[in-house]
Amino acid sequence: MSRRDEILDVAVAVLEEEGPDALTMRELATRMGIRAPSLYKHVRDKDDILAGVQERALIALAQHLAAAGPGLAGLADAYRSWARAHPRLYEVATRRPLARERIAPGVEAAAAAPIVAAAGGDAHLARALWALAHGLVDLELSDRFPPGADLDATWRTALRGFEPPPSPTRS
Amino acid sequence: MSRRDEILDVAVAVLEEEGPDALTMRELATRMGIRAPSLYKHVRDKDDILAGVQERALIALAQHLAAAGPGLAGLADAYRSWARAHPRLYEVATRRPLARERIAPGVEAAAAAPIVAAAGGDAHLARALWALAHGLVDLELSDRFPPGADLDATWRTALRGFEPPPSPTRS
DNA sequence: ACCTGAACACCGTTCAAGT
DNA sequence: ACCTGAACACCGTTCAAGT
């Protein structure tokens, strides 16, 4: 494993255990048993580390979505549950511009694929679904909904507009 | 005007003109012709300033939404256009937890009111609409959509799920 | 009441130097 | 190839002191 990958491992650990404020070059170095300036031999700067974390987060999210239960509801559950399990990673994955030059091609597409599939290949519908899920998650993670709000019900209402019409069942 | 309000004026100006990195206590003080430590006689800390900016941003957004054109499309246009005109303020307004103790009661409700009205009073539907608009705006402001994507079309697709069914017109 | 100078405990980052 | 010590230009914040 490259030294850069070791740094990213530690960065993810710090982020999840202690939050973004603790993610300093000195903290990373201390955990690795070296001094902060030494990190610069393996990464360009702190932003390079965040781009690496973003890439890892997108890969993990993509895997989680690919294993989702069936239907739009299954996908939505997978999206929300991953974000709630990894709120700091979700933030790094979505709140900063995509580091398109630093992230391996295909990562973005892999994360998007299950959503595009759920949208039947309609790119606009896929973006709308993604935005809806992201908006719900982002506002929930930022504690913007009134305390005690029934967010399960909010998700059901939100998805209703996008469900395929129920297939007529023979009675 | 209180000294605190003057500080908030300057904070909003710095944020919109130079971005969040330039919003330092020293920069605020310099613009006011004083030294950074003097600010602490008028605000508790930097977070107090951000809470004040958040409150102002919500008030401005609420006013803009209240003056929106008719229908869901008019409201959506108003939401998106305000966010694009004031991206830094939009960020402060939505990306941080609501400073419920520091913000005048009613501000949150005023911002929500036009959305709740468009949802016909259905709180879950209102939250879903808000999340959809927020998600679209947040991803656009973070440059997460592919360059060149037709976001007008994405918005139309997104809102389609929530439009009231077209009233049958006599032919 | 309002402001200041000096200081503290931090940041990210550079660079010459060591092994 | 990898790491270090010292330093630089910043942060937010505290506090005794001045008017």
Side-chain angles (χ1 to χ4, degrees), chain A residues 12 54 93 105 118 167:
Chain A
V12 168
Q54 182 182 46
S167 57

Side-chain angles (χ1 to χ4, degrees), chain A residues 32-101:
Chain A
M32 298 185 67
I34 59 178
R35 311 286 168 217
S38 306
L39 295 170
Y40 291 83
K41 292 293 169 184
H42 309 102
V43 295
R44 174 133 50 103
D45 50 23
K46 189 177 177 180
D47 228 62
D48 190 28
I49 296 175
L50 287 172
V53 172
Q54 182 182 46
E55 180 177 28
R56 289 181 171 217
L58 288 173
I59 291 170
L61 175 59
Q63 286 175 346
H64 196 77
L65 294 185
L72 197 51
L75 187 60
D77 278 352
Y79 195 96
R80 185 179 177 206
S81 69
W82 191 85
R84 282 160 55 110
H86 308 281
R88 323 286 199 173
L89 288 181
Y90 185 85
E91 255 185 51
V92 172
T94 60
R95 281 197 175 179
R96 53 197 355 265
L98 234 207
R100 291 194 166 84
E101 276 97 39

